Amino acid sequence: MSTQELAPPPSPDSPRPGPVDVEQAEAALVEHYPRLVRIAYLVLPPSLGRNRRVLTAHALVQRSLPRRRTPAAAVPGSRRAEDAVDPGYAYVRGEVLRQALVAGLPLRRRALPRRAQLPPLLPQVWGLRLFPRAGGADELALDQRLSALSGPARAAYVLRGLERQGDPEVLRGLSAAGVEDPQAALEEADGVEAQYALLESPEFDPCSLQARPTDLMRRRQHGKAALAAAAAALVCGTLLGLPGDGWGRNGAAAPSYARNPAAEAALDPAGVKRVDAVAWRVSSRQDFSVWPARGALSGDSGLLRRALAVWARPGPTVQTSATPGTPPGPPMGSPQLLFAGRVDAARVVLFFDGLRVVRYAEPVGDTSGAALDFARTDGADAVGSAALVVSRASGNVRYLTAPWVKEAAVRDLLAPAKEARPLPRDAYGVTEPMPSPATARDCTRWNTLQVRDETGGTRLLTDLGELAPARLTSGPPGRPADATGAAARESWARTACQLAAVRSHGVRAVNSWAFAAQALPEGGGTAEWLCARAETWRGTGSRTLALFRAPGAMGTAALAARSEGAPACGVREARVLAGVVWQARSGQWYVLAAGTGDFAALALSGGVEARVEGHLLAVKAEPGSRADLTGTLRDGTRVGALR
């Protein structure tokens, strides 16, 4: 989708309003289409969701032409002669505002919805979700503040900022759009900081879009079944919508397939376990089992019923994910409620069943687009249960912190000397959004969540694309410490970007350890050897990375070797051996190798033959040479390099 430039409002020779015919309005609409769509997108309620806001904004603008020659809309008086507004543009803009404000009105019982309140018939996109390009933290914060305003107040803010109108002009424009109390809307808009330049950001540009597919695998697998289901739905739709059965109360859940009393009891929202708010203070353990039920919607039985039903029987439209080794099956009994509330543009529910944390999310106003995420968290301690990801959107992440977390902050691993930035939380423990490294395309920063608990202990947690953030530690495998000290942060600054290799792998904790330092040939300085080991919640599938950092190298250390499932660099086997090929400033190539201190000798065979005593090796080599590296422990045992 191409980006279109926003044209400023036209300036005709005469600012006085006159009759507007279809051709004049159409010319203004075509010339200023990107600006008009942006106005509609900003005024529409964010609760619609970004995909529907985009399509509705385009539909409203395209429906704004007059049916016949008509008197011009009231054109606000200009502050300068050169700022006069073309009557055609004023008419179309007024229609766009009027329809966008109608679209934000709540539906009323016993009253037919107005056309602007219904999903648009055109334009229509099948198989894709469209949304504007992500902006920065400032745009996200502004969008959240605007979402808290009423529709007329958003319209007032947009007319001030995007159309650069004064208060008298805004009042007349709102009145012409049908707002009952324009002055109140203007005063409400005064409560939002005047960051008008951000309204021009790609975050609010529905003409410059990103496209993502819906669930391709499910679409392929269930395409034929959908045809049969559509025919069945025509016959059975009325019966399935009756209370107590089928889809009527269960949202996106599939139809019931059994009448097992125990299974049905687990799906009863009244049976959900709720822990007392102070249980964690007197309990002998601190983990998810003592989290209280929090969130403004924790008493919404309809939401809980849908979440439990979708968990037990996810329908074909539900997007489901599970960390490796996590069973995605139904609840094994009545689960514990951790959280239920609205976060960003979704209603979110978090459950815990003793083995897994389960996150259910549905877009506000659309239960058909539900998502279900599973993460194994058995054996979590106070640190492992310090936070959960409650929302991840637009490149940002929000956490729900444990009740024993007293402070939260954001710390960039790539800026170890920089102080942590405080991260505000609401009354339920949900943090403000912070940039997530899990979805970043590059590694210019790696933001982590720093938490301090009631004991005064400080921990670092990082988002790796799963519900439970991973703990970061530093030091020898037998005695790692939380990576909060200055030396540990310096070490992680050289390792952080390699965390991308363990995303979405069910990682519980990652430890970084500088296991050797090596003087380089030809006076090249001292190189550093590190290993990073990612331990998983399931116990198997741990990943070990051996890293090499030459002196003077900027940024992260280079990957020397990688292994999955090996015990190297772990508690059971702390030793590690790795090698690289390195070129000196003279152009000469060398094979470099290093092992932990329990290696008595290192040897090369194959393309390069050499043997040295000790745990460090540096041997000249020809370009393109390949060699096998082995080491001998002090007890005579021969060990291969990490691979």
Side-chain angles (χ1 to χ4, degrees):
M1 310 257 175
S2 61
T3 303
Q4 304 184 47
E5 294 293 326
L6 292 180
S11 301
D13 294 332
S14 175
R16 300 183 59 83
V20 176
D21 56 25
V22 176
E23 290 78 14
Q24 186 179 10
E26 182 181 18
L29 186 151
V30 172
E31 182 180 0
H32 304 288
Y33 186 84
R35 174 181 291 273
L36 293 166
V37 176
R38 186 185 290 255
I39 291 172
Y41 182 85
L42 286 164
V43 176
L44 284 169
S47 60
L48 293 177
R50 292 192 297 170
N51 182 72
R52 183 170 168 184
R53 276 176 79 190
V54 167
L55 297 178
T56 302
H58 284 272
L60 297 185
V61 174
Q62 293 171 17
R63 294 204 301 256
S64 297
L65 291 177
R67 295 182 181 274
R68 57 187 179 275
R69 188 177 181 87
T70 181
V75 181
S78 301
R79 287 166 290 173
R80 302 192 307 259
E82 61 267 29
D83 286 340
V85 178
D86 171 39
Y89 176 79
Y91 175 88
V92 176
R93 182 182 62 194
E95 283 296 295
V96 169
L97 281 177
R98 183 186 61 79
Q99 294 183 82
L101 292 172
V102 169
L105 296 176
L107 295 174
R108 297 180 178 178
R109 292 184 178 181
R110 302 178 183 177
L112 292 176
R114 300 171 71 174
R115 185 180 182 186
Q117 294 175 286
L118 298 173
L121 296 177
L122 291 173
Q124 193 64 256
V125 178
W126 295 89
L128 288 175
R129 291 186 178 274
L130 303 177
F131 49 93
R133 299 182 181 276
D138 292 338
E139 288 87 346
L140 177 62
L142 177 60
D143 190 38
Q144 291 172 341
R145 287 192 289 270
L146 290 179
S147 68
L149 298 179
S150 64
R154 281 195 303 274
Y157 190 94
V158 171
L159 290 176
R160 275 176 168 174
L162 201 59
E163 297 294 278
R164 298 184 290 277
Q165 292 185 357
D167 288 357
E169 301 167 286
V170 173
L171 291 173
R172 285 192 288 271
L174 293 179
S175 179
V179 176
E180 294 182 359
D181 192 348
Q183 185 61 43
L186 202 62
E187 292 173 356
E188 184 181 355
D190 288 336
V192 177
E193 182 181 357
Q195 296 178 296
Y196 298 140
L198 296 179
L199 298 178
E200 305 277 359
S201 167
E203 175 81 18
F204 308 115
D205 184 5
C207 291
S208 177
L209 300 172
Q210 289 181 313
R212 291 292 184 273
T214 54
D215 197 328
L216 298 177
M217 293 302 297
R218 288 187 179 275
R219 204 165 68 197
R220 179 182 298 174
Q221 294 170 358
H222 299 284
K224 294 182 179 179
L227 296 176
L234 291 175
V235 179
C236 305
T238 303
L239 294 177
L240 291 173
L242 292 176
D245 199 4
W247 297 323
R249 297 189 296 169
N250 296 338
S256 301
Y257 53 84
R259 288 296 184 189
N260 181 280
E264 289 192 342
L267 304 183
D268 184 1
V272 168
K273 299 175 184 176
R274 300 171 185 264
V275 175
D276 189 77
V278 296
W280 64 272
R281 297 183 181 274
V282 297
S283 174
S284 60
R285 55 192 290 182
Q286 282 192 343
D287 55 20
F288 293 116
S289 67
V290 294
W291 273 34
R294 291 176 287 175
L297 300 180
S298 59
D300 188 336
S301 60
L303 172 62
L304 298 183
R305 183 184 301 278
R306 291 193 299 274
L308 291 168
V310 171
W311 180 359
R313 308 183 309 276
T317 63
V318 178
Q319 300 183 23
T320 305
S321 70
T323 58
T326 303
M332 299 174 288
S334 296
Q336 176 187 342
L337 177 63
L338 303 181
F339 176 83
R342 177 171 175 174
V343 184
D344 297 326
R347 287 184 287 262
V348 178
V349 182
L350 289 173
F351 293 114
F352 176 62
D353 68 355
L355 174 69
R356 305 162 296 177
V357 167
V358 180
R359 176 182 178 270
Y360 169 82
E362 62 180 30
V364 174
D366 180 14
T367 61
S368 63
L372 194 64
D373 304 304
F374 297 86
R376 186 170 174 174
T377 57
D378 51 314
D381 55 11
V383 180
S385 59
L388 288 172
V389 171
V390 71
S391 172
R392 192 181 288 111
S394 302
N396 294 288
V397 62
R398 289 179 187 261
Y399 294 98
L400 175 66
T401 55
W404 52 84
V405 170
K406 299 304 179 185
E407 293 180 4
V410 180
R411 183 177 287 281
D412 185 0
L413 286 183
L414 300 185
K418 188 177 179 180
E419 290 296 323
R421 172 174 60 85
L423 184 62
R425 298 178 294 162
D426 65 14
Y428 303 113
V430 177
T431 69
E432 291 292 306
M434 57 175 278
S436 170
T439 56
R441 298 180 180 178
D442 50 25
C443 192
T444 57
R445 61 182 176 182
W446 195 284
N447 286 320
T448 59
L449 174 67
Q450 179 176 290
V451 297
R452 186 178 67 82
D453 57 30
E454 59 173 355
T455 67
T458 305
R459 328 288 182 187
L460 277 188
L461 307 172
T462 186
D463 179 18
L464 294 179
E466 297 165 337
L467 287 180
R471 181 183 185 180
L472 300 181
T473 59
S474 181
R479 51 182 190 280
D482 287 286
T484 54
R489 295 200 304 270
E490 286 288 346
S491 177
W492 265 109
R494 301 184 284 274
T495 313
C497 291
Q498 296 295 345
L499 286 170
V502 296
R503 286 175 180 159
S504 303
H505 191 60
V507 174
R508 178 175 187 166
V510 186
N511 184 59
S512 177
W513 175 37
F515 67 88
Q518 181 177 23
L520 298 178
E522 302 182 19
T526 301
E528 186 178 30
W529 291 86
L530 307 101
C531 71
R533 182 177 176 87
E535 300 287 356
T536 65
W537 286 98
R538 61 191 182 277
T540 59
S542 299
R543 285 185 179 173
T544 303
L545 310 177
L547 309 171
F548 172 81
R549 185 173 185 271
M554 300 297 292
T556 188
L559 181 64
R562 169 176 166 170
S563 177
E564 184 162 340
C569 199
V571 176
R572 295 187 177 275
E573 190 177 287
R575 62 176 178 267
V576 61
L577 173 62
V580 295
V581 179
W582 174 78
Q583 187 178 29
R585 292 182 179 179
S586 65
Q588 175 64 51
W589 288 92
Y590 290 86
V591 175
L592 305 178
T596 46
D598 45 2
F599 282 90
L602 305 181
L604 294 174
S605 60
V608 180
E609 299 284 342
R611 178 181 172 84
V612 298
E613 299 297 320
H615 67 104
L616 300 173
L617 177 147
V619 178
K620 290 183 179 181
E622 296 297 324
S625 299
R626 300 180 64 87
D628 293 326
L629 173 65
T630 57
T632 304
L633 301 177
R634 299 188 185 280
D635 62 2
T637 303
R638 189 176 179 185
V639 178
L642 183 72
R643 63 180 61 191

